[in-house]
Amino acid sequence: MTFNSLSNDVLGLILLEVHKISRQTLFSTLRTNKALHDSTKPLIYRDCVLDLSDSKLDETNGRITSWIETEREVLRYIRWLTVVQPHHYYRSTSTNGDELRYSSLITLLSQLRGLVQFTFALREPMPVGLLDCLDSFHPAVELHIRNWTRKSISTPFGDPAELALANSPLLRTIQASVLSGNGEIDLQRAAFMRIVTVAPNLESYNWSSHSGGGCVIRMMSSQQYEEQARLEKEFDVDRPVKKVLKAIHINHEVSSVENQAGIVDLGKLERLGGVHISRNVDERLKGVFSSLRALDLKVRTWRTDSELDPKSFQGFLCSLPSLEELSISGGLKYIDLKPLLSYHGPTLRTLHLHESETTNLENPRRTLSLDDLCLIRDSCPHLYDLGIDVSYIRTDPKESEIYAVLSTFGNIYSLTLNYDLGIGLYSTRSRRGKDDQYDTIRHQINALIDKQNTTTKLEAIWAEVVGPKLQEILVQVGKQDREMGKGYPASWVRYERSMRTWYKLEYGVVMVSSRPKDSF
């Protein structure tokens, strides 16, 4: 049977599967024959990404002009359109005004007729003119905002772009990852939450703020705190628009989610992420999340005499409906896996249990025992995404024993392995020459961060853990998202940031990697 004998519908389904596995392969099919070319081209242009950074703007405008003037069939194919600015600016440094930067894009939007979704991912406020264009030509489009930011962190209430976005019926999701003010009045969260409160058709939001770190700590004066509080009140909304949100991601105490009840129907919330827990959960929250399917939380306790009671924590987790996805960081000492998995295991499809590496070599991070791994395997029959820690500092269980158990997980599709980086070794480097154990551990760590040895090591890991359905492994060496505190960083912090490494393997082959230049 030849491709020419297949119906367009069947050919389209085949190419759609190819698109899921490798978009690049589709470009090769364009040059195969006319039937494949005609069936592939709509898929190629169905999901378009346009780079509006200064260095690519002329090239992007040229593409748009070509579509409008000579390749008009492309305009019929575009369903999802994303505009990006790959350079990681906290705020845009563009010297091009909105009119020049967005004029070709606005013209393109006015020509499209089948647009379903528009994603604005630039690190600058979405201009009013662009929002008006979408509202005029695509009143049913779904708008997604990524990398939301403001003109400045202290811009007062009344910014036209923010007012327009908050009231837009097109807005479906909004995501922000911002640097908190370092001695400046910071109104970012107030502005963001006003948009969340007012937006009539919002489905989910993702908020996270991070300290800028650095060597110098700047504090606001008492007068600045009072002024910030006064300015924040201007963002308050008298009549919030209560809505059904599918997902919330917010780096605050889990109990603070109750404050969202005025704008969110918590009983219909499906995904809750980014929250942390440092004290016993308010009893009123138990039973509130009756539709929750996915939970991602971190345990943060700053003292040994923490206010967090394991029974309270376990009780909260078991007060939720049976979850499909569960991720807990820093919580192994507070949970009893057997009853927890007896409750959630039959429905779990994703489970990540992660502990942060510490500098204390006498008390390394907790890891799952072989019995724990077997319990997870036997209690979670539908599990396809698993994330665990592998510690070289804590040698029980041994690495090879862990791999042997992992290979018996019959349904695992995606596996995340978090390896320690040896920050405890680095912080006590004066003792290295006195103990052979340090040399052994250092050799094991180097095998994952030294580019000359990594491929062999990763191939060996894959061969030992691979099960019948495994397709990808994410290998992370060192803490990938440890936040820099304010003040001068410790030497091990600088070491970790420079040496942490990650790889993504698909079918045993490294597809994406971020590697250090040198090993230690």
Side-chain angles (χ1 to χ4, degrees):
M1 179 180 290
T2 64
F3 278 113
N4 290 331
S5 65
L6 298 175
S7 69
N8 289 337
D9 289 341
V10 173
L11 194 55
L13 289 173
I14 294 173
L15 292 173
L16 191 59
E17 291 302 312
V18 174
H19 178 270
K20 291 178 182 178
I21 298 173
S22 173
R23 178 175 167 83
Q24 286 301 119
T25 303
L26 285 181
F27 289 96
S28 300
T29 65
L30 286 171
R31 297 184 292 274
T32 305
N33 59 42
K34 187 178 186 303
L36 280 174
H37 180 278
D38 292 345
S39 296
T40 300
K41 197 168 184 180
L43 286 176
I44 292 290
Y45 289 101
R46 184 176 61 170
D47 189 352
C48 282
V49 178
L50 299 177
D51 188 341
L52 298 188
S53 58
D54 287 348
S55 61
K56 295 289 186 178
L57 187 59
D58 289 342
E59 179 182 330
T60 297
N61 287 342
R63 286 179 66 194
I64 294 174
T65 300
S66 175
W67 292 343
I68 294 175
E69 295 181 355
T70 63
E71 298 181 82
R72 291 195 62 82
E73 73 276 10
V74 170
L75 304 181
R76 303 197 311 268
Y77 304 148
I78 297 176
R79 296 292 181 270
W80 297 278
L81 183 60
T82 301
V83 292
V84 300
Q85 185 182 47
H87 304 294
H88 298 295
Y89 301 128
Y90 174 56
R91 300 185 187 89
S92 173
T93 58
S94 172
T95 56
N96 294 295
D98 286 350
E99 183 177 351
L100 175 61
R101 176 180 286 261
Y102 296 107
S103 57
S104 292
L105 175 61
I106 289 174
T107 301
L108 172 64
L109 290 171
S110 69
Q111 300 290 311
L112 300 179
R113 292 296 176 266
L115 190 64
V116 174
Q117 179 176 295
F118 180 80
T119 300
F120 186 87
L122 276 70
R123 294 181 178 272
E124 60 189 58
M126 183 175 180
V128 176
L130 185 56
L131 189 59
D132 287 343
C133 178
L134 286 174
D135 190 56
S136 297
F137 293 98
H138 305 281
V141 77
E142 295 183 355
L143 172 62
H144 303 274
I145 302 295
R146 302 287 177 266
N147 305 318
W148 175 87
T149 189
R150 314 187 71 213
K151 290 180 178 178
S152 75
I153 65 174
S154 57
T155 299
F157 172 74
D159 180 82
E162 292 179 356
L163 294 177
L165 184 61
N167 289 284
S168 174
L170 308 182
L171 184 62
R172 296 298 189 276
T173 68
I174 183 168
Q175 176 269 337
S177 180
V178 305
L179 294 178
S180 58
N182 188 7
E184 298 180 65
I185 290 177
D186 187 347
L187 302 175
Q188 294 176 106
R189 177 168 167 75
F192 181 88
M193 291 309 299
R194 185 185 184 279
I195 294 173
V196 169
T197 302
V198 173
N201 296 319
L202 193 69
E203 295 177 354
S204 70
Y205 73 85
N206 184 321
W207 166 268
S208 60
S209 61
H210 312 275
S211 169
C215 302
V216 179
I217 300 177
R218 298 183 178 88
M219 301 296 292
M220 290 198 304
S221 64
S222 58
Q223 291 82 5
Q224 284 178 305
Y225 277 113
E226 292 174 0
E227 177 67 4
Q228 177 170 297
R230 184 188 69 79
L231 292 172
E232 285 177 339
K233 287 186 176 298
E234 296 181 4
F235 290 88
D236 291 346
V237 178
D238 292 333
R239 295 183 178 179
V241 179
K242 192 162 185 176
K243 64 210 80 174
V244 175
L245 294 192
K246 297 178 181 178
I248 291 177
H249 184 286
I250 184 169
N251 57 342
H252 279 262
E253 187 78 23
V254 65
S255 293
S256 70
V257 178
E258 189 181 20
N259 298 331
Q260 306 278 317
I263 60 174
V264 180
D265 187 341
L266 297 179
K268 295 182 179 178
L269 187 68
E270 297 180 2
R271 308 180 69 86
L272 178 60
V275 293
H276 59 258
I277 180 170
S278 60
R279 57 182 182 271
N280 294 340
V281 179
D282 192 322
E283 290 291 328
R284 292 175 297 177
L285 272 186
K286 294 182 179 180
V288 168
F289 303 108
S290 55
S291 298
L292 202 66
R293 296 189 297 108
L295 174 65
D296 169 25
L297 64 80
K298 297 180 179 179
V299 176
R300 292 183 177 177
T301 54
W302 309 109
R303 306 185 313 274
T304 55
D305 58 336
S306 168
E307 297 177 10
L308 181 58
D309 177 30
K311 290 184 179 180
S312 173
F313 184 38
Q314 186 99 357
F316 168 68
L317 294 176
C318 291
S319 73
L320 303 172
S322 297
L323 298 174
E324 296 177 11
E325 302 177 25
L326 177 60
S327 175
I328 301 176
S329 297
L332 281 185
K333 66 182 289 187
Y334 297 100
I335 59 177
D336 186 338
L337 273 180
K338 191 170 183 178
L340 182 66
L341 294 181
S342 175
Y343 181 77
H344 290 291
T347 56
L348 279 179
R349 296 174 61 80
T350 297
L351 177 64
H352 283 240
L353 298 172
H354 173 57
E355 302 287 299
S356 294
E357 184 182 359
T358 73
T359 58
N360 186 352
L361 293 180
E362 304 303 321
N363 186 26
R365 69 175 172 185
R366 294 168 180 262
T367 54
L368 296 172
S369 68
L370 295 180
D371 288 341
D372 291 334
L373 289 174
C374 291
L375 177 64
I376 293 171
R377 179 196 62 197
D378 299 337
S379 303
C380 308
H382 304 295
L383 196 66
Y384 78 92
D385 181 357
L386 175 67
I388 66 167
D389 298 334
V390 181
S391 177
Y392 289 132
I393 310 300
R394 182 189 293 275
T395 56
D396 181 23
K398 293 181 172 59
E399 188 181 358
S400 58
E401 295 173 331
I402 295 172
Y403 296 158
V405 175
L406 290 176
S407 68
T408 64
F409 279 69
N411 294 316
I412 293 296
Y413 165 93
S414 178
L415 179 64
T416 299
L417 299 175
N418 304 292
Y419 295 85
D420 43 28
L421 186 58
I423 57 176
L425 296 177
Y426 188 83
S427 66
T428 57
R429 58 183 179 271
S430 62
R431 295 171 53 191
R432 286 181 182 170
K434 302 178 182 179
D435 194 332
D436 291 340
Q437 179 190 15
Y438 291 105
D439 291 332
T440 300
I441 295 173
R442 182 172 58 191
H443 175 75
Q444 292 172 306
I445 295 169
N446 276 341
L448 283 173
I449 63 175
D450 186 341
K451 58 186 178 182
Q452 294 183 353
N453 301 319
T454 296
T455 300
T456 300
K457 176 65 176 178
L458 293 177
E459 289 176 349
I461 292 173
W462 181 277
E464 290 195 65
V465 304
V466 66
K469 296 184 180 179
L470 187 66
Q471 296 187 28
E472 65 178 29
I473 295 182
L474 180 63
V475 171
Q476 300 187 139
V477 189
K479 187 69 173 175
Q480 302 297 308
D481 59 353
R482 194 190 302 272
E483 183 178 344
M484 284 282 286
K486 295 180 179 179
Y488 192 78
S491 59
W492 67 264
V493 174
R494 300 196 306 273
Y495 164 74
E496 181 184 55
R497 289 178 66 85
S498 65
M499 302 302 287
R500 58 190 178 188
T501 309
W502 64 271
Y503 310 91
K504 182 179 181 180
L505 291 80
E506 294 182 1
Y507 300 100
V509 179
V510 177
M511 304 301 294
V512 184
S513 65
S514 175
R515 305 184 181 184
K517 295 180 181 179
D518 301 295
S519 58
F520 75 106

